[in-house]
Amino acid sequence: MKTRYKGYTGKLLDVNLTSQTTGEYIVSDMDRERFLGGRYLSTKILWDELKPGIDPLSPENIFIVMTAPLTGTRAPSTSRYDISAKSPITGGIGHSNSGGNFGIHLKKAGWDGIVIRGSADTPVYIEINDDVVQIKNADHLWGKDTHTSQELMKTNDFKKAATMVIGPAGENLVKFACVVCQERVHGRTGMGSVMGSKNLKGLVVKGSKKIDVFQPEKFKEHTKKWIKSLQGHPATGETVPKLGTSMFVALLQRANALPTKNFSRGTFENYNQITGETLAKDHLIRNYGCQSCPIQCGRVVKLDGQEIKGPEYEIMCLFGANLLINDLDAIIRWNRELDLLGLDGVSCGTVLGFAMELNEKGIWKNNLEFGKKENILDILKLIAHREGIGNDLAEGVKYLSEKYGGTDFAPHVKGLELPAYQPQAAVGHALGYATANRGACHLDGGYMIYFEATGPVTLEQFHHRSKPAWVVLDQNLLAAISSGGSCLFTSWTFVPAIAFKAQKSKIISFIIRKILTYTWPSITGLLKLPLVFLKFHIPLLPHSKAIALATGMDMSFGKLIRIGDRGYTMEKLFNLREGIRKKDDKLAKRFTDDLLVKGNKNSRVQLDKMLPQYYKIRGWDENGVPKEKTLKKLDLNFVDISQLN
Amino acid sequence: MGIPMGSDEWALALKDEVNKSEGYRMASLTWEDDFYFIVTKGGPITEDLLVYVDLWHGECRDAFRVSDPGVKSPTFEISAPLDIWKKVSNRELNPIRGIMTRKLKVKGNILKLIKAPKSAIELVECAIRLDTEWP
């Protein structure tokens, strides 16, 4: 056994597509303790293995699939796993997390992860049946959509296996190509095109082994309580199962935070035709979820007599309000097409909105118009196949703005397109966009929107001074939860159920808002507390105890947050080594200069005020470079920071 | 009588055709890379047939048949069996589609090629205009 910890298999598969050979990649227990699993462990591997400056679409890039210690252990909502590589859209760290059954099967096959190097001469797929690994010809799959390819891979012994594939978008190196696992999607950062560049169509895995945990009885008891708390919580037990993420359309409209017309404003007059409530009333058949998940956030909807996967909030907004389209039927159709083609819906919707504004302003004549839906389906195909204007659209917002113009209203950070939350409406969330290591990301950014607009109790939306501390805490917290293998929805119980009762009283909500906003120094204090004061588990976040019981690791709430901080900083170091600097922690002028609310001078994102404070709280210098003492605190002092300056 | 495909004579004819082509020149003003075009062994082709082509800012600086692959280190190598090259030549297979479907195998930055479709198509048009004698 190559690890003393349970929850892990102790083995990573190493596949070289150039030489068509397989072996094992060795990870130390020290790295498991430092990074747990998922994308942060992958980042450490990429740091160790990649030379800086390599082309992300060259054989030199490494593509990693990585589970985490709780993946597949029957703790609630722990089907999660990550894929990582150097991103072709940002040039920095790229990763994408997903549910579905691939991670579980991979672990059951005896592998914690897969490190994939080089590139094959001809299209291939990787087939894993416990210890038997084969690289197989994929000529018959190349060119096929993600649904068909997954079905074709499940032959003979693999009928009940898990699959992960790219569609035509990944094959054609579309910068925002995604990877699809069943109907779940690894959307962001162009991981699909990394697979495409390796001529890797997909992977299929079947596992028959048991996943052991350290203290089975206590773990079982703990997860039972955890499931109960999720089921009893107003968000994870009621709203999310009932409406899915599409519930955010109405919530964000009310908060003036629903990106509309290429993020030019935060409200859409026809929003009620594309809400979660409308979806539930007119189309919903049932919800569904990943294995071991009591939340069941997925939607199955009916369209043209067929049952298909329903759209998430991001698609409903970015193909709805953001394009001035209020046709839910059309959005459902496009959602399906995005998955079949293997396109990231978030980036794609944002790209289209930007292209529409370029057309409207006469900057780039492309026949894309706000409110015009007739050509959208064709455009998606053009993008996936890089035909006509699709060849330019496939490169993303940053490329389009550099080629044609419009940088002032180009919604991207570091090259990654913005997700569906209006930055000026939640300035902490906007700071998260600017500082997230993989580019504009609501989740990596700390998901502050929950504390600024959509949660039961919130901070003041436009208050800037309070936000950096909260953003750092949230970024570390979500990073920590993700690194253990849990779905980020499980973090919502951090806000106790009683808060949902409090929101019914205007006075109580007002008082809580003031307390949360103006006690930000206590958050800074919490972040600075030595670990010795945080050696406990907290009931609102069962994750640390679950990891301890599953693995046998010495784990606490404080240690888990520290792992989040460490992982986040490790990603930052990777980016610095690739030349991504303070100048890249920015947003378009539309968000930093334009007022969202007329007359409210705080309703723009004042990054110049927040960034210095953010860097200071993180223990970074004024250029956003981690200081030596921060690296020492985080046990990252194997990095020579002078080399990165 | 045609020019044997892949011969030195054929390569020189291609060079002349490229340098006469205004369509190629306009589509390739910023292009700065060289190629091996390779017909892979199989059927009437008894060993890999390599042609080196040096393209620079809209013109062809050099083109010749290569017997020793080590003689040059081009930025790109594009290889395919004879029947695929015939399809490209007959306009049955768009060269960019050929690259994307991996019928034309590329060593080098594939994205750079598929982002320059006009240049690729004009180059193929130049080759199509030659009186080629196929093996």
Side-chain angles (χ1 to χ4, degrees), chain A residues 171-173 196 199 391, chain B residues 100 102 105 110-111 114-115:
Chain A
E171 295 169 6
N172 297 325
L173 310 184
N199 283 331
N391 206 8
Chain B
M100 287 182 181
R102 307 308 193 259
K105 293 184 197 352
I110 198 172
L111 190 57
I114 62 182
K115 279 168 70 174

Side-chain angles (χ1 to χ4, degrees), chain A residues 64 80 119 175 273 314 425 431 453 473 485 544 579 611 622 643:
Chain A
I64 303 176
R80 312 298 294 195
S119 79
K175 286 285 173 67
Q273 284 157 49
E314 303 280 343
L431 174 63
L473 174 66
S544 61
L611 260 184
E622 65 278 3
Q643 303 269 313

Side-chain angles (χ1 to χ4, degrees), chain A residues 628-641:
Chain A
E628 295 267 7
K629 65 177 183 181
T630 303
L631 295 186
K632 196 167 174 209
K633 177 186 111 178
L634 296 175
D635 196 19
L636 292 175
N637 46 347
F638 55 85
V639 173
D640 180 358
I641 207 72

Side-chain angles (χ1 to χ4, degrees), chain A residues 445-457:
Chain A
Y447 205 61
M448 275 295 291
I449 195 77
Y450 191 66
F451 291 105
E452 290 177 290
T454 60
V457 289

Side-chain angles (χ1 to χ4, degrees), chain A residues 332-349:
Chain A
I332 292 171
R333 250 185 220 100
W334 299 334
N335 183 59
R336 173 89 173 137
E337 198 67 21
L338 288 164
D339 280 1
L340 291 174
L341 293 169
L343 285 166
D344 170 19
V346 175
S347 282
C348 199

Side-chain angles (χ1 to χ4, degrees), chain A residues 322-424:
Chain A
N322 198 46
L323 308 185
L324 295 186
I325 285 166
N326 57 345
D327 184 340
L328 195 47
D329 280 17
I331 292 170
I332 292 171
R333 250 185 220 100
W334 299 334
N335 183 59
R336 173 89 173 137
E337 198 67 21
L338 288 164
D339 280 1
L340 291 174
L341 293 169
L343 285 166
D344 170 19
V346 175
S347 282
C348 199
T350 305
V351 164
L352 291 181
F354 181 62
M356 285 176 182
E357 188 161 350
L358 289 178
N359 186 54
E360 187 180 75
K361 288 179 153 73
I363 297 172
W364 178 34
K365 288 280 172 212
N366 52 42
N367 201 30
L368 289 165
E369 294 171 26
F370 288 114
K372 178 176 164 183
K373 58 188 180 187
E374 291 74 29
N375 56 352
I376 299 286
L377 208 56
D378 287 339
I379 287 289
L380 297 183
K381 290 173 185 158
L382 289 180
I383 293 172
H385 292 100
R386 281 188 173 271
E387 288 169 4
I389 62 163
N391 206 8
D392 269 355
L393 292 167
E395 288 295 308
V397 165
K398 183 171 181 237
Y399 171 87
L400 293 174
S401 68
E402 287 167 357
K403 181 171 178 177
Y404 295 105
T407 48
D408 284 356
F409 52 89
H412 77 88
V413 175
K414 302 176 177 69
L416 188 67
E417 289 76 17
L418 255 63
Y421 308 88
Q422 191 68 18
Q424 302 102 305

Side-chain angles (χ1 to χ4, degrees), chain A residues 251-259 265-267 422 424-426 461-462 596-597:
Chain A
L251 287 172
L252 288 161
Q253 168 82 2
R254 279 201 285 279
N256 200 0
L258 187 72
R265 56 180 196 263
T267 55
Q422 191 68 18
Q424 302 102 305
Q461 275 177 283
F462 306 119
L596 184 69
V597 178

